[in-house]
Amino acid sequence: MLPIIEKIHINERLRELRIKSGYTQVQIAEILNIDRSTYSYYEIGKTTPDVTVLITLAKVFNIPIENLLSDEGSQEIVSDSELKTNYIQSKKNSSHIYELSSDERILVGAFRSCSVEGQKKIMAYIKNILKKKPHNKKQD
């Protein structure tokens, strides 16, 4: 007999992470290259994202996939002294993405969702752009 597994409410977790990170549904949909309505269906629980989408979302939110699939409220707390630490860590947004503009959030999300090779190409492109700043060019 298989053990009973508590249902994970991934739709609620996606909405929580998106809001906590400061993204709109449109921005996440742009990063995933899907329609906003498709992403909206994920959040309302009408459909469930496939594994590749979940992996990409974990990268965008800068969390391990295990954190995406688990309920934040289901953390075990061993002692009262750890209560404060666990609470602070669960509320802390290590990415500080909320401080960025809309375009910056999309850029960061897209960068995080890329492969390592894609990230290297993006960084090389950015470095090339920075070298060509107007103050580095000679006036003709």
Side-chain angles (χ1 to χ4, degrees):
M1 186 171 189
L2 294 173
I4 298 174
I5 300 173
E6 186 177 325
K7 184 177 177 184
I8 296 172
H9 300 283
I10 194 144
N11 60 318
E12 295 168 9
R13 188 75 173 121
L14 288 175
R15 183 174 189 279
E16 174 190 350
L17 287 166
R18 176 183 58 78
I19 291 170
K20 191 182 279 188
S21 297
Y23 284 107
T24 65
Q25 286 185 347
V26 172
Q27 291 169 329
I28 295 295
E30 286 177 5
I31 292 166
L32 296 173
N33 198 27
I34 60 175
D35 289 332
R36 187 211 51 85
S37 61
T38 302
Y39 182 77
S40 177
Y41 287 168
Y42 297 159
E43 284 194 7
I44 62 174
K46 189 171 183 177
T47 59
T48 303
D50 65 26
V51 174
T52 57
V53 171
L54 291 173
I55 291 168
T56 302
L57 287 167
K59 289 178 182 178
V60 169
F61 296 132
N62 198 29
I63 60 171
I65 188 116
E66 296 82 18
N67 290 10
L68 181 61
L69 298 174
S70 66
D71 246 350
E72 221 177 70
S74 67
Q75 295 177 351
E76 274 188 40
I77 298 173
V78 178
S79 69
D80 287 342
S81 64
E82 293 177 10
L83 177 59
K84 186 176 179 182
T85 303
N86 285 343
Y87 177 77
I88 290 169
Q89 286 175 346
S90 70
K91 296 297 178 191
K92 182 180 176 187
N93 183 344
S94 62
S95 66
H96 298 287
I97 196 103
Y98 55 86
E99 296 173 354
L100 303 177
S101 72
S102 177
D103 286 343
E104 289 169 328
R105 279 193 297 273
I106 291 171
L107 181 62
V108 169
F111 180 84
R112 288 177 178 170
S113 68
C114 285
S115 66
V116 172
E117 185 60 33
Q119 290 176 350
K120 288 178 183 176
K121 288 179 181 178
I122 291 169
M123 290 308 299
Y125 182 74
I126 290 171
K127 288 175 183 176
N128 190 36
I129 289 173
L130 293 174
K131 288 179 187 176
K132 294 180 180 180
K133 278 188 174 180
H135 68 275
N136 289 341
K137 289 185 176 180
K138 289 184 179 178
Q139 296 286 333
D140 290 330

